[in-house]
Amino acid sequence: MVPHLITALNVPINELEQRILDSMPAIERWFRLEWMEHTPPFYSSVDVRNAGFKLAPVATNLFPGGWNNLTPEMLPLAVQAAMAAIEKICPEARNLLVVPENHPRNSFYLSSLLQLKRIFHQAGLNVRFGSLNPEIKEPTTLSLPTGETITIEPLIRSDRRLGLKDFDPCTILLNNDLSTGIPGMLEDLEEQYLLPPRHASWSVRRKSRHFKAYEEVSKRFGKLLGIDPWLINPMYAQCDEVNFADGSGMECLTSNVEAMLAKVKRKYKEYGINEKPFVIVKADNGSHGMGIMTVRDVRDLPELIEKTRARMAASDDLNNVTDVIIQEGVLTNERVNEAVAEPVVYMMDRYVVGGFYRVNAERGVDENLNAPGSSFVPLAFADNGRLPQAGEKPGSSSPNRFYMYGVIGRLAMLAASYELEATDPDAEVYD
């Protein structure tokens, strides 16, 4: 079944889709040349919002979970991509050590880990799981509702290597975003490959830095296609030294929200868009429980801040957020069974390997869908396996629409590679 997308007849997205399909050879060559100069993240997922008049990424995850939401038909693509990625890094690899989140008790997350294990096992690797959690002192087997089990083991650190008992890996794959900091156990692993690198963690990353890189990518891509980069790029601003506990830094937040709403309003007027602009305010490092705020009017900000302050105080996150990003809000006009939805694109190495729709019937078109009440619908198209067709009417073909989502996902992935290069502590220039 093909999920029904109510954006299928919206003209601006169809024009963008047509431009992308007509430019497919140039686009693929452009990506190929970029990957000759830049190293893609080992794996990533990108949340995409399709407003009908604009298509843009709103979040890029370099430690993606949710692999269990990929359909069986997508797994061969993932296996091929895993083979290509491992061959580039450690061709002789036999063993892969996966480091999961510290408290992997959620059954959906455990299913995601097992899916990763299946992918890399079929790519020719022995896969085991080692935890950074000091409470894991012996192999611990966890059961899933499906009847499957997964064993998490304590990590063992030697002089220059990290492994498990009787298990010495060539490569260590982090599926833990290290938002609370980088443990010493992961330092100085000179004889092993750590993927993604330590500076990809949320203790180092900033969303504003990522979207700065994405802005550069979108300008270059817009020039290639001859389009306004705004059609694929969410504008943003950033405030540091914000303190929700004592109220300091609120002037910066208020002025930037007001300025961003004005910028979006001007763009809507330019394109004849009859929608109310809004912005999203969230923690810049993405690692804390700060409530994401949807702001439609700057006069609503004091009340929203007070509500956010109450939520953060209740979750002990009050003093953890000091930097925020103010991002242009992108509507999602997609629906699955009448519920608001957004596509999530999954990639490994430089390849798109699949994706799904995040669906949340309890949220509106201008709200964050990655919240309680969300569910997932695989991107299982009725004509699965077909390549995009340049001659088809825009909006009529699922492969065409998914190809367009994959292009946006890869643009965000390329921005992440720029971002990681700029923040590499071992590079000559540290940004």
Side-chain angles (χ1 to χ4, degrees):
M1 179 183 124
V2 180
H4 175 58
L5 309 183
I6 68 167
T7 49
L9 299 178
N10 283 14
V11 175
I13 282 295
N14 286 346
E15 291 178 354
L16 178 61
E17 181 179 311
Q18 190 67 62
R19 188 70 62 92
I20 286 176
L21 291 171
D22 291 345
S23 305
M24 194 185 304
I27 290 171
E28 296 307 319
R29 178 179 183 274
W30 185 81
F31 273 122
R32 188 166 63 249
L33 294 176
E34 286 292 327
W35 297 131
M36 290 175 66
E37 300 291 331
H38 306 283
T39 302
F42 186 80
Y43 56 5
S44 58
S45 67
V46 176
D47 296 356
V48 179
R49 302 278 284 206
N50 183 351
F53 54 84
K54 180 179 180 122
L55 182 70
V58 295
T60 301
N61 187 358
L62 300 184
F63 301 88
W67 292 94
N68 52 307
N69 293 311
L70 302 190
T71 63
E73 292 81 9
M74 295 174 184
L75 292 190
L77 289 173
V79 171
Q80 291 285 339
M83 287 179 175
I86 292 294
E87 285 171 7
K88 287 196 305 187
I89 296 160
C90 187
E92 70 277 11
R94 293 182 181 176
N95 298 331
L96 177 69
L97 172 61
V98 178
V99 178
E101 294 176 3
N102 284 3
H103 302 280
R105 299 287 176 174
N106 182 292
S107 62
F108 293 103
Y109 180 66
L110 293 177
S111 295
S112 175
L113 292 179
L114 285 178
Q115 187 83 299
L116 277 177
K117 182 175 182 178
R118 280 190 284 269
I119 290 169
F120 288 107
H121 178 76
Q122 291 182 53
L125 295 169
N126 301 312
V127 183
R128 286 165 66 177
F129 300 94
S131 178
L132 289 165
N133 185 352
E135 296 177 5
I136 302 292
K137 300 183 184 300
E138 58 185 25
T140 302
T141 299
L142 303 173
S143 299
L144 281 73
T146 59
E148 298 172 291
T149 61
I150 184 171
T151 300
I152 311 292
E153 304 178 62
L155 290 168
I156 299 174
R157 175 64 193 254
S158 61
D159 184 29
R160 293 285 183 180
R161 299 185 73 81
L162 185 66
L164 307 173
K165 184 179 180 181
D166 303 321
F167 191 77
D168 185 28
C170 163
T171 303
I172 301 163
L173 180 63
L174 290 175
N175 200 243
N176 181 323
D177 64 17
L178 306 179
S179 58
T180 59
I182 301 170
M185 188 175 285
L186 298 179
E187 301 284 355
D188 301 320
L189 296 174
E190 296 182 2
E191 299 176 3
Q192 290 171 303
Y193 296 95
L194 185 66
L195 301 168
R198 289 183 294 272
H199 62 282
S201 71
W202 275 126
S203 58
V204 176
R205 281 191 78 201
R206 294 294 179 268
K207 294 176 183 177
S208 55
R209 190 180 289 129
H210 173 75
F211 281 102
K212 179 181 178 182
Y214 185 80
E215 186 174 56
E216 177 186 347
V217 168
S218 65
K219 286 178 180 177
R220 296 180 59 228
F221 188 76
K223 185 176 181 180
L224 176 72
L225 263 63
I227 63 169
D228 181 353
W230 177 77
L231 294 173
I232 58 171
N233 177 40
M235 297 183 289
Y236 77 97
Q238 189 258 354
C239 281
D240 54 14
E241 299 182 3
V242 171
N243 190 314
F244 285 89
D246 62 18
S248 62
M250 295 301 112
E251 301 85 357
C252 175
L253 183 57
T254 300
S255 62
N256 275 283
V257 166
E258 188 172 28
M260 184 59 65
L261 285 170
K263 286 182 180 178
V264 178
K265 187 176 182 179
R266 285 195 294 271
K267 275 294 184 181
Y268 281 14
K269 185 177 180 181
E270 177 185 344
Y271 283 91
I273 297 165
N274 188 26
E275 298 285 354
K276 186 174 179 61
F278 68 100
V279 300
I280 299 295
V281 179
K282 50 191 173 183
D284 199 12
N285 66 347
S287 63
H288 303 297
M290 173 190 173
I292 295 177
M293 292 188 289
T294 299
V295 187
R296 304 171 185 87
D297 190 316
V298 72
R299 291 172 294 186
D300 299 335
L301 196 54
E303 181 181 353
L304 290 169
I305 290 172
E306 191 57 41
K307 289 180 179 179
T308 299
R309 183 184 289 123
R311 285 196 299 267
M312 293 168 65
S315 60
D316 295 325
D317 283 331
L318 196 58
N319 297 312
N320 289 334
V321 176
T322 57
D323 301 346
V324 297
I325 181 172
I326 300 97
Q327 189 176 57
E328 173 193 354
V330 182
L331 295 166
T332 179
N333 279 336
E334 302 205 40
R335 300 287 189 280
V336 174
N337 298 326
E338 303 305 316
V340 177
E342 65 185 6
V344 184
V345 179
Y346 272 63
M347 290 158 290
M348 191 171 291
D349 194 61
R350 59 179 180 167
Y351 306 103
V352 175
V353 299
F356 54 83
Y357 286 102
R358 180 182 289 116
V359 183
N360 197 323
E362 300 175 13
R363 293 292 175 120
V365 297
D366 58 355
E367 294 182 294
N368 172 40
L369 303 187
N370 190 11
S374 63
S375 59
F376 308 97
V377 176
L379 281 165
F381 295 132
D383 44 8
N384 187 58
R386 284 183 53 211
L387 294 172
Q389 304 294 316
E392 292 186 352
K393 180 181 177 181
S396 64
S397 165
S398 298
N400 284 0
R401 184 55 53 88
F402 185 53
Y403 176 75
M404 184 168 66
Y405 293 158
V407 167
I408 299 299
R410 284 184 289 167
L411 291 175
M413 177 171 59
L414 179 59
S417 72
Y418 285 18
E419 173 195 358
L420 293 180
E421 289 168 7
T423 56
D424 186 350
D426 297 322
E428 293 183 3
V429 178
Y430 185 89
D431 182 10

